[in-house]
Amino acid sequence: MSDKISTGSSLIFYTGKNYAGTAKSVSHGITGVLAANTTSWNEQSVAMSAMQVFISSSVNTGDTSVVYLGHQEEMVTVSQSDLTLLYPSSDQFPLNYLGLDPVQAVVVWLEVDAAQAAPNAVASNALVGASPTTITTLSLPGRPGLLGCVAKIGGSSVIANCAYGDYNTADGTVAWEGTGTLILEYTGGSITLINDGGFPEGWTFSDPQLQGDGSWAVTLNGGSASDTISTVAANPGSITDDGISASVITARVVDGHGQPAGGVTVSWSSSLGSVSPQSSETGADGTATTTLTDVDAPGMATVTVAITGSSETVDVTVADSAANAPMKVYFIDNTSPPDGRNRISAYCNELLSVKVTVDGQAEFVGGDGTKTYATTLSPYGPNIINLVDSVVELVNVTVTPDDTTASPVSASMAFVQPLDVGYHNKISFNQNIPADGITYCSLKVYGTNGGTLSIGIKLGGSAHFAETLEKEWYIADYTGGYCTAQVKIVDLVAETVPVTVTINDDNKTVIDINFDSLDPKYM
């Protein structure tokens, strides 16, 4: 073996451009640092005759944080007066050189298909034939790297210890997974390859093929890349939150060769609303679909489609269906039979005729029938409709506009047992009142054992009594009557109001009353 230059051959580096500065003669198998970075070049030009120089970025399989996005490996076969022009990017440094004499050794490249399934990166650590030098090189998908250099002596061989791993095309790092061994042998003027094992199952290496420049190339066949989601689209791109309007989401899945992939299970999810189905399978054309709907939750819905190893998203605008609705209805409930009243508080932007119906044993107060109430809503609301019930139950109430282009509004209303606060005393109160300062919560205190009572009511938050604008109410020595006290409470702020009820100065109970946000479109 020799690290000398063949007769008539030369390889000379210069510290300056245009072959100026200090000259350095490099023989076969000699390595060095060409440049540490874009501004620090040890050698800036090279002259050669019957020699070649292999230029490469550094490889470190012991450090998974190294970025190889700009990794370089190439053979320079003619003199270069300005090497800095060949490598302008900062992400490929440091750059190293290796002197090669094509008379003494032959170069073998390893090609990895751009659609190679992971693992898809191979780092070869091998002796440079006809020299004592060992180098580490890297082959990436679609970017051939040096597999080895074999001495041109019959029977000579080079052992390439090959680390393999998964190349991340996004950040340029490699997650190294294992090591295999290849043996390159020079026999009868040709290169043969022996796979000594250690590689992932299914990996095969082609026989070395002679290239036009005298080098040889080996191709790795490790299988096609995993299926990926090529497109995802929403039609239409916007819906309303009425639970009826829908957007069909379509995803297309392709294989490693860009062809439609059928029979692939696709999972669907959304940040807003709901999708159905949540799992589907691609057809022969590689597409799968789901449907997005939404109820009372306007905003931006991000729909995610996922398969093994790949996911994509698409955004769908969800508009507030109430923005175009003729009315807004609030259902005030939680009162106690038989004398307590639940209420409907309805707002609209124009005169609107409606019919209201209720099931169960509940009845309307002052309507044209016990189970049906027809009225015309005024844009100067709120429009209050009262209901009573003789039993504790949950009833369903529907408000249907006569205008058939407008959607009905339905909700459940609870008639409940009054709250027992001890000493035969009970409290009844409404919930879910719009914070309009008009629609009120009716709070009643029941003294069911007769006798004399003193009652105090104190309101928290921004709530106040409807008639007095005060926040505290007190009555002393009240005698007789089943319903001992009744007050009306209103609020202009959407909040949960703590209400303290004190009976006979020592029986204190705190309840929470909810006031809902008033839709500004109907104010």
Side-chain angles (χ1 to χ4, degrees), residues 35 142 178 302 313 341 402 427 450:
T302 298
T313 62
R341 294 186 178 188
D402 290 349
I427 301 174

Side-chain angles (χ1 to χ4, degrees), residues 105-173:
V106 63
V107 171
V108 182
W109 298 97
L110 177 61
E111 298 177 346
V112 180
D113 191 279
Q116 164 77 41
N120 54 0
V122 177
S124 171
N125 179 263
L127 191 71
V128 177
S131 85
T133 302
T134 298
I135 63 170
T136 301
T137 54
L138 178 63
S139 300
L140 296 171
R143 295 157 62 183
L146 186 65
L147 180 59
C149 297
V150 188
K152 286 185 172 181
I153 302 173
S156 294
S157 63
V158 167
I159 299 174
N161 295 303
C162 301
Y164 57 83
D166 184 6
Y167 175 63
N168 187 323
T169 57
D171 62 20
T173 61

Side-chain angles (χ1 to χ4, degrees), residues 359-372:
D359 64 7
Q361 298 188 44
E363 299 178 355
F364 292 100
V365 177
D368 59 0
T370 58
K371 310 298 292 184
T372 301

Side-chain angles (χ1 to χ4, degrees), residues 128-300:
V128 177
S131 85
T133 302
T134 298
I135 63 170
T136 301
T137 54
L138 178 63
S139 300
L140 296 171
R143 295 157 62 183
L146 186 65
L147 180 59
C149 297
V150 188
K152 286 185 172 181
I153 302 173
S156 294
S157 63
V158 167
I159 299 174
N161 295 303
C162 301
Y164 57 83
D166 184 6
Y167 175 63
N168 187 323
T169 57
D171 62 20
T173 61
V174 178
W176 301 105
E177 300 177 10
T179 303
T181 304
L182 297 174
I183 301 174
L184 302 172
E185 186 172 333
Y186 186 80
T187 304
S190 297
I191 296 293
T192 59
L193 180 142
I194 301 173
N195 184 345
D196 205 32
F199 294 102
E201 183 178 354
W203 272 29
T204 60
F205 296 88
S206 70
D207 292 332
Q209 301 295 312
L210 180 63
Q211 307 299 296
D213 61 0
S215 66
W216 293 75
V218 174
T219 300
L220 167 62
N221 181 8
S224 300
S226 302
D227 297 330
T228 57
I229 300 168
S230 62
T231 60
V232 57
N235 183 28
S238 63
I239 60 174
T240 57
D241 64 347
D242 58 3
I244 300 173
S245 176
S247 177
V248 176
I249 316 298
T250 303
R252 185 171 186 266
V253 180
V254 297
D255 61 21
H257 300 289
Q259 299 303 307
V264 178
T265 299
V266 175
S267 297
W268 305 90
S269 61
S270 179
S271 62
L272 199 66
S274 60
V275 289
S276 180
Q278 295 181 342
S279 178
S280 56
E281 191 172 278
T282 58
D285 62 352
T287 64
T289 62
T290 192
T291 300
L292 170 72
T293 55
D294 184 273
V295 178
D296 295 334
M300 184 65 72

Side-chain angles (χ1 to χ4, degrees), residues 19 32 82 85 129 187 250 327 362 411:
Y19 317 111
D82 188 354
L85 295 178
T187 304
T250 303
M327 64 181 178

